[in-house]
Amino acid sequence: MKITVTGSLGNISRPLAQILVKAGHQVTIVSSKKEKTAEIQTLGAKAAIGSVEDVAFLGSTFAGADAVYTMVPPNFAANNWRRYISGVGNNYAQAIRATGVKKVVNLSSIGAHLPDGTGPIKGLYDVEHTLNALDGVAVKHLRAGFFYNNFYANVNMIKHMGILGSNYAASNHLPLVNPADISDAAAEEIQRPFAGNSIRYVVSDEQTAGEVATILGAAIGKPELKWVEFSDGDALAGMKQAGLPEEIAKNYAEMGAAVRESKLWDDYIEHKPAVLGKRKFAEFAREFAAAYNS
């Protein structure tokens, strides 16, 4: 198969491309950075250098592909995050329609069944609906949990404040995912037949926020580490103080409020997979500890 993978050499796209190349497929990796070309080629893939905001570039890259893996790369410079995410989804749809691609595996998120009140996830709601409107295209949405890697952003909080926290409680439930499990799921779906529009939830482990603090605290030698719930205002102010643009901080604070209100997980709980991913949070905690102590 000829497969186009968006997402450059990120935590999902790199291992996904490696799996597909090893399986004998012809893989093209989309990246905005020309300096990634040699590294992409070393993987055995072809590099396509350009922007996902350029429909003509996407069309030339998708042409001839049997399947496309789509994801919206982060853009912290966006002054309207939902509009940016939705716009990239529209670009993908235009390129898919123009080139006749018949199979799409799309990275989405738990909570994408909700049209509003979910921070950046509401943009993924838009992307799902845009791709679902394509005639004659099979689309599989991978609704992923909260990435393990996101906790690396809290290293300074732990070191300087001695706590871990956000604007939701220690008792709040968190479906979590190792990006490598998303890569495995994406590779499975790309390589097997499916029809119509469908959803696959990808979660590796489930913990409460308080359990996350306990597991990470034990791994880094701080067994006293506690989860602290912030107000929405304090969470927003803290993220801005840490350097996040206001638009991005506002979206993250809104997402945290949705976690606190437990509305993100309704559809996931109803359609929870029988088997979760194989990479558990306790294993990630050892990787986190190595990075924390380095």
Side-chain angles (χ1 to χ4, degrees):
M1 293 173 65
K2 293 182 179 179
I3 303 163
T4 299
V5 174
T6 64
S8 189
L9 294 175
N11 291 321
I12 300 169
S13 298
R14 177 197 292 272
L16 170 59
Q18 290 172 319
I19 294 168
L20 296 174
V21 168
K22 185 176 182 180
H25 301 291
Q26 298 178 46
V27 179
T28 297
I29 299 177
V30 174
S31 178
S32 62
K33 297 180 179 179
K34 189 174 182 179
E35 59 268 27
K36 297 288 187 182
T37 299
E39 194 173 356
I40 290 170
Q41 293 173 341
T42 299
L43 296 180
K46 176 184 175 183
I49 307 302
S51 171
V52 295
E53 297 186 76
D54 182 342
V55 176
F57 161 72
L58 290 175
S60 65
T61 304
F62 290 1
D66 299 300
V68 174
Y69 166 75
T70 57
M71 60 87 65
V72 179
N75 179 3
F76 284 7
N79 56 21
N80 183 315
W81 212 3
R82 181 174 193 166
R83 185 169 61 201
Y84 161 72
I85 295 169
S86 301
V88 174
N90 281 319
N91 294 345
Y92 285 151
Q94 289 183 58
I96 290 163
R97 188 180 296 113
T99 57
V101 170
K102 296 301 182 184
K103 187 175 188 179
V104 177
V105 173
N106 174 59
L107 177 63
S108 188
S109 172
I110 283 181
H113 64 293
L114 298 171
D116 218 336
T118 59
I121 299 172
K122 56 183 179 277
L124 297 175
Y125 168 92
D126 298 339
V127 174
E128 285 196 10
H129 282 257
T130 296
L131 295 178
N132 286 347
L134 291 166
D135 290 332
V137 181
V139 182
K140 177 79 68 173
H141 300 291
L142 302 181
R143 288 187 179 169
F146 188 88
F147 285 23
Y148 291 172
N149 307 52
N150 291 344
F151 289 106
Y152 287 126
N154 299 119
V155 166
N156 285 337
M157 180 189 294
I158 298 171
K159 286 188 173 182
H160 300 302
M161 299 175 65
I163 60 170
L164 188 59
S166 189
N167 57 326
Y168 46 89
S171 59
N172 275 115
H173 179 73
L174 297 178
L176 304 163
V177 67
N178 187 313
D181 282 336
I182 303 174
S183 303
D184 288 350
E188 288 174 7
E189 297 297 344
I190 287 171
Q191 295 180 97
R192 68 187 179 192
F194 62 84
N197 304 323
S198 54
I199 293 162
R200 175 176 174 176
Y201 281 100
V202 187
V203 169
S204 304
D205 206 349
E206 297 184 15
Q207 305 288 343
T208 65
E211 289 166 343
V212 163
T214 297
I215 293 168
L216 293 182
I220 63 175
K222 293 184 178 292
E224 73 284 359
L225 185 68
K226 300 296 182 185
W227 184 274
V228 175
E229 180 180 2
F230 307 143
S231 69
D232 290 345
D234 285 345
L236 177 62
M239 285 185 281
K240 289 169 63 178
Q241 186 176 13
L244 285 181
E246 183 168 3
E247 168 68 7
I248 306 304
K250 284 169 57 179
N251 272 273
Y252 279 142
E254 182 177 84
M255 183 173 66
V259 172
R260 183 181 66 238
E261 296 162 10
S262 298
K263 65 182 184 180
L264 283 184
W265 323 133
D266 293 348
D267 192 74
Y268 165 70
I269 291 170
E270 184 176 350
H271 301 100
K272 181 176 173 179
V275 179
L276 299 185
K278 61 186 178 182
R279 299 167 176 91
K280 301 308 176 185
F281 191 73
E283 300 168 17
F284 165 75
R286 293 193 289 270
E287 299 173 17
F288 183 89
Y292 180 89
N293 292 315
S294 65

